Amino acid sequence: MEYNIGVIRGDGIGPEIVKEALKVLDGVCGRYGFSLNKTEIDMGGCSIDKYGIPLTEEAIRTAKAQDAILMGSIGGDAKTSPWYKLEPSKRPEAGLLSIRKELNLFANLRPSVLFDELKSACPLSKETADKGFDFVIMRELTGGLYFGERYTREIDGVETAVDTLSYNENEIRRAAIKAFDIAAKRGKKVTLVDKANVLDSSRLWRKVTGAVAAEHPDITFETMLVDNCAMQIVKEPSQFDVILTENMFGDILSDEAAMITGSIGMLSSASLNDTKFGLYEPSGGSAPDIAGLNVANPIATILSAAMMLRYSLDQDRAACAVEDAVKQVLKDGIRTGDIMSEGCRKVSTDEMGDAILDRIQGP
Ligand code: NAD
């Protein structure tokens, strides 16, 4: 079996962390009997330097021809980088917005996992941290309040601002189907988070998602109001498997869920469309402050690659092998600087990649 993957190394620490993820992917695919045909794609600051724009038509065409894309991170230091003297539509981040649109990536997946060995960094109570948690937030990415009609004007002599929160049943259904697909590969539970006691749009989410749930009797389905969910994430995060929610609620809850893990260098993410295709990247940025120093933590990118194996390539066993190797490295006390603690061995970016590769178990 051969898959085509696009590789966006990006800017800052991007090339360093992507190199380690590719090293691990090459190791795991050899052992699990498949191969990866990799194509480099320029995006962000490095594309500006070469072509004057953050994403070319050629890059978009190449991206569309892949089974999945693995990405580092893009962007630079906004105060010192010449990229930020350009108008906003020509800056590195515009490339990311444009690729998401071109590839129709409507679902964003952000896992929130507490690794046993990193429990001391978790800001929750010891009792809650001891129970651990492993859930994902699936946020609708292209609709809702951020994309609805908006204006500020004087109405009856009073300055008034209006933002519109709109969803149609098709947008909701494709997100719900995706969430149930994800849950089928995980803990088989979907929690729809909304504000159905107030909002019409939330009531439509409940109706449409409820109908999708009826087609998946093997998956537990529940609903929760967003204010309660914000509390439950800090009180009892172990109850969640897949949280499905609309754009703005997901924006806020996914940052809350990231904080409780206590370590940005460990957080993976994916943006998906209604095929198997996905764009996989670490949640953090390009960390210009540590770029080129070989100290960045590559684990978030390596875990993003594991998600790519599971959700885009259906190589679930290989994905588990990568995740188990990461857990083993942490158990063995190997740490990059950002997650260093007493009694552990501090390693560089490439040593961390090597250590994970060494611990990949065969089938
Ligand atoms: P950042 O996430 O790059 O850095 C915040 C802090 O976390 C820094 O101290 C950094 O050193 C640290 N950090 C981040 N990733 C790390 C890792 N893997 N290992 C160790 N430490 C790590 O956020 P920022 O400084 O606000 O943004 C820098 C640039 O990244 C900006 O240009 C921003 O636009 C861009 N950005 C890109 C993406 C993306 O590519 N999807 C996402 C967020 C920010």
Side-chain angles (χ1 to χ4, degrees), residues 13 73-76 84 93 96 281 284-290 296-297 338:
I13 59 170
S73 41
I74 50 131
Y84 296 91
E93 290 72 13
L96 189 55
E281 57 175 319
S286 59
D289 53 332
I290 55 168
N297 186 348
D338 58 313

Side-chain angles (χ1 to χ4, degrees), residues 83-97:
W83 301 327
Y84 296 91
K85 296 204 170 69
L86 300 168
E87 62 172 90
S89 68
K90 301 230 168 84
R91 291 180 191 168
E93 290 72 13
L96 189 55
L97 294 180

